[in-house]
Amino acid sequence: VQLQASGGGLVQAGGSLKLSCAASGRRLRDYHMGWFRQAPGKEREFVGSNTRSGSTNYADSVKGRFTIARDNAKNTLYLEMNTLKPEDTAIYYCAARTILTADYGYWGQGTLVTVSS
């Protein structure tokens, strides 16, 4: 599966942004999906996940502010981000894994989110 993330940009603190991750080559419904981010000078970190059944899990740092959803008909994963903080500034990546492994083996190219204070 190929993944293409989009929707990043510059937003003021307290604002909202919605990222998209378009899948191609395979059906999104066949994969567990995740969002990750990497801030400047920091390691990549888990943001949240969305399983094939639609169950979600979030990092504590974004819980209550971010929502992951998928539209299998559109083959697209979303990350809705609200009440953004400057510390949310990062490159955001979507990733996919099959049911056979716990590792995300497929990654999109990333989209930059910058939150100004």
Side-chain angles (χ1 to χ4, degrees):
V1 62
Q2 291 80 48
L3 303 173
Q4 176 101 18
S6 62
L10 174 64
V11 62
Q12 287 189 329
S16 299
L17 208 57
K18 187 174 183 177
L19 306 183
S20 299
C21 174
S24 61
R26 298 289 188 189
R27 301 183 307 177
L28 186 73
R29 69 177 69 236
D30 293 335
Y31 295 87
H32 298 309
M33 301 297 296
W35 285 99
F36 294 78
R37 66 185 181 186
Q38 186 166 19
K42 295 187 177 182
E43 293 188 353
R44 187 172 61 198
E45 65 175 1
F46 171 80
V47 173
S49 62
N50 181 283
T51 68
R52 292 176 65 204
S53 64
S55 297
T56 54
N57 184 40
Y58 300 95
D60 288 343
S61 59
V62 306
K63 201 171 292 183
R65 300 188 298 122
F66 289 12
T67 303
I68 298 175
R70 65 168 70 202
D71 186 333
N72 286 330
K74 294 184 178 180
N75 237 29
T76 302
L77 179 77
Y78 302 99
L79 177 65
E80 184 164 3
M81 305 183 292
N82 297 311
T83 320
L84 282 161
K85 305 174 182 180
E87 51 264 42
D88 294 319
T89 294
I91 299 174
Y92 283 73
Y93 300 89
C94 58
R97 65 178 180 89
T98 71
I99 61 173
L100 300 177
T101 176
D103 296 325
Y104 287 87
Y106 306 92
W107 292 83
Q109 86 289 359
T111 185
L112 176 62
V113 173
T114 304
V115 184
S116 63
S117 56

